[in-house]
Amino acid sequence: MTSDSEEDVWYSERLETLVRFGFERKPIEEFLNEGEANVVDRLAWLESRREQASHLEDRIVSFRSSHPQLDLEFSRTADLLADPFSISEALSEFERMMMKHAPWEPSLERGRVSWHEQEKGNEWSVLYGRLAKLDPSSITSVQILYPLFEEPERFDELFRHLDTIEMDEQRQRRVMDDGVESLRSMGYSLPQVDGFDLMDAFSMIEQWQFFHNTTEQLKLSIKQLITPFDSQMAEDLDAQRLLLRDIGQLPELQELEQEVARLGQIFEERRLELSNHIDVWRSQGIIFPHKGELRPSELMEWEANLDSIGESIESHL
């Protein structure tokens, strides 16, 4: 290299190609000017970085197109890809994200060249698509298949294992659908679960089932604790219960549950107190038409007439 003009003549086009790709001009010019004796090697290194960056961009595009529901942000990776000296960092950043959202992707990518060399590129793409559609709960099952990702000659075996995983997911989704339909048949308005991950769907179903169990237990508590004492109050409380039909109303349902328990305890304490009062009168020789403790259904009537009954008894003692 003898002058800037000669330098421009022989590698300016390659430099412009790097800039058009997205690398910033100034850093790569400085890099080339630092080692004029090795400019050919440095250009080749920069071009290899461009190929790595281009390949990583393709991986990002493939992931986004196969996982539109995730809507992940790759801006940091994209920023790193604009710097040829940060390509390794960009790759590490991308694969960290993959380990969280698609841990099979790096392993599958490592075997990609072998699949194409054996003219099984289409099968590799089909495999990528099937893996991308799997539920996150199947990741553990897929991990045992990683060694096969680098053995394209065993793709039939790999696909059979994948068939088993997919069938298990289908079975779980049928169970999920049955659970949702069962709850809907009880009058609950559950959201559509088609786009849910299995674990999220089952968690939601479990929450709704808990809500249903709570309202059914409350219904039973009203019947057992309140109805024997005051049927009208029991009807009013059950009407309140029936108004609470959404899982977001669980705190209100639980408050009503506590209120029913409190009322039931008060009724029972009043019944026992009045029964003890009656037992005192019996010990004084007063005979009542009923024997034993006061029945819950009699509490209200006895309390309403307690003063007059007491006066009458006192007049006969």
Side-chain angles (χ1 to χ4, degrees):
M1 184 183 307
T2 58
S3 71
D4 288 345
S5 60
E6 291 178 1
E7 185 176 282
D8 290 342
V9 168
W10 77 267
Y11 74 79
S12 60
E13 183 176 343
R14 293 168 69 181
L15 176 61
E16 290 303 319
T17 300
L18 293 170
V19 173
R20 285 196 298 272
F21 174 76
F23 291 160
E24 293 185 16
R25 179 186 300 275
K26 184 176 179 181
I28 58 179
E29 284 183 337
E30 291 175 350
F31 175 66
L32 292 170
N33 291 333
E34 285 174 0
E36 295 185 5
N38 299 311
V39 69
V40 173
D41 292 337
R42 292 193 172 214
L43 269 172
W45 183 87
L46 287 169
E47 289 168 343
S48 71
R49 300 300 97 174
R50 179 191 62 198
E51 294 306 311
Q52 291 178 13
S54 178
H55 182 60
L56 186 52
E57 286 180 341
D58 289 343
R59 289 172 69 181
I60 292 173
V61 170
S62 295
F63 178 82
R64 275 181 164 161
S65 64
S66 60
H67 297 80
Q69 75 281 7
L70 293 180
D71 193 27
L72 294 182
E73 180 57 63
F74 288 96
S75 58
R76 172 170 163 72
T77 303
D79 291 341
L80 291 171
L81 287 176
D83 180 359
F85 309 102
S86 300
I87 304 304
S88 295
E89 186 180 352
L91 177 61
S92 297
E93 175 75 13
F94 174 76
E95 293 203 338
R96 276 196 297 272
M97 296 181 72
M98 292 301 96
M99 292 307 296
K100 180 178 180 181
H101 299 285
W104 48 267
E105 195 273 353
S107 294
L108 184 62
E109 182 61 32
R110 283 192 289 273
R112 186 170 185 266
V113 173
S114 295
W115 287 72
H116 283 271
E117 287 177 347
Q118 296 191 31
E119 298 183 350
K120 289 184 172 59
N122 288 337
E123 287 83 351
W124 186 93
S125 297
V126 170
L127 177 58
Y128 185 104
R130 290 177 68 180
L131 290 169
K133 292 178 181 177
L134 289 177
D135 187 83
S137 62
S138 296
I139 293 303
T140 302
S141 300
V142 171
Q143 286 176 344
I144 63 174
L145 304 181
Y146 288 179
L148 296 179
F149 289 174
E150 298 183 31
E151 299 183 58
E153 66 277 5
R154 299 174 64 185
F155 79 94
D156 282 339
E157 178 185 351
L158 174 57
F159 279 24
R160 284 196 300 273
H161 284 299
L162 196 53
D163 288 340
T164 301
I165 295 172
E166 290 170 337
M167 285 188 292
D168 183 60
E169 277 195 15
Q170 291 169 5
R171 178 189 61 78
Q172 293 185 68
R173 291 202 176 274
R174 286 195 295 270
V175 173
M176 175 192 72
D177 290 339
D178 289 345
V180 169
E181 289 307 312
S182 176
L183 287 162
R184 284 178 177 157
S185 70
M186 299 173 191
Y188 299 115
S189 299
L190 273 71
Q192 294 296 326
V193 295
D194 294 344
F196 279 46
D197 292 342
L198 282 170
M199 290 184 66
D200 291 340
F202 280 119
S203 176
M204 182 201 70
I205 291 171
E206 184 179 359
Q207 292 174 38
W208 275 97
Q209 189 64 56
F210 178 78
F211 181 88
H212 171 69
N213 292 341
T214 301
T215 192
E216 288 299 301
Q217 181 58 50
L218 176 55
K219 178 182 179 180
L220 182 61
S221 295
I222 293 171
K223 181 178 180 180
Q224 292 178 338
L225 301 178
I226 308 301
T227 301
F229 293 98
D230 190 333
S231 60
Q232 183 58 55
M233 179 183 289
E235 289 181 13
D236 293 343
L237 288 168
D238 200 54
Q240 293 181 49
R241 178 188 69 87
L242 291 172
L243 291 174
L244 304 175
R245 304 296 295 169
D246 186 85
I247 196 169
Q249 296 174 305
L250 179 60
E252 298 171 58
L253 190 66
Q254 291 172 326
E255 287 179 10
L256 185 58
E257 186 178 35
Q258 293 171 3
E259 177 66 8
V260 167
R262 186 186 70 82
L263 290 171
Q265 182 178 0
I266 290 173
F267 278 135
E268 182 61 16
E269 289 173 353
R270 284 160 53 185
R271 187 188 69 82
L272 291 175
E273 182 181 358
L274 189 48
S275 292
N276 290 336
H277 202 156
I278 292 172
D279 285 342
V280 171
W281 284 330
R282 285 195 180 112
S283 69
Q284 295 173 342
I286 304 299
I287 299 175
F288 294 96
H290 72 277
K291 296 181 180 180
E293 292 186 344
L294 191 68
R295 290 187 289 271
S297 59
E298 299 170 331
L299 177 63
M300 294 301 181
E301 183 179 358
W302 269 85
E303 285 185 334
N305 298 295
L306 186 59
D307 290 343
S308 61
I309 293 172
E311 291 175 0
S312 176
I313 290 173
E314 289 298 326
S315 66
H316 289 83
L317 290 177

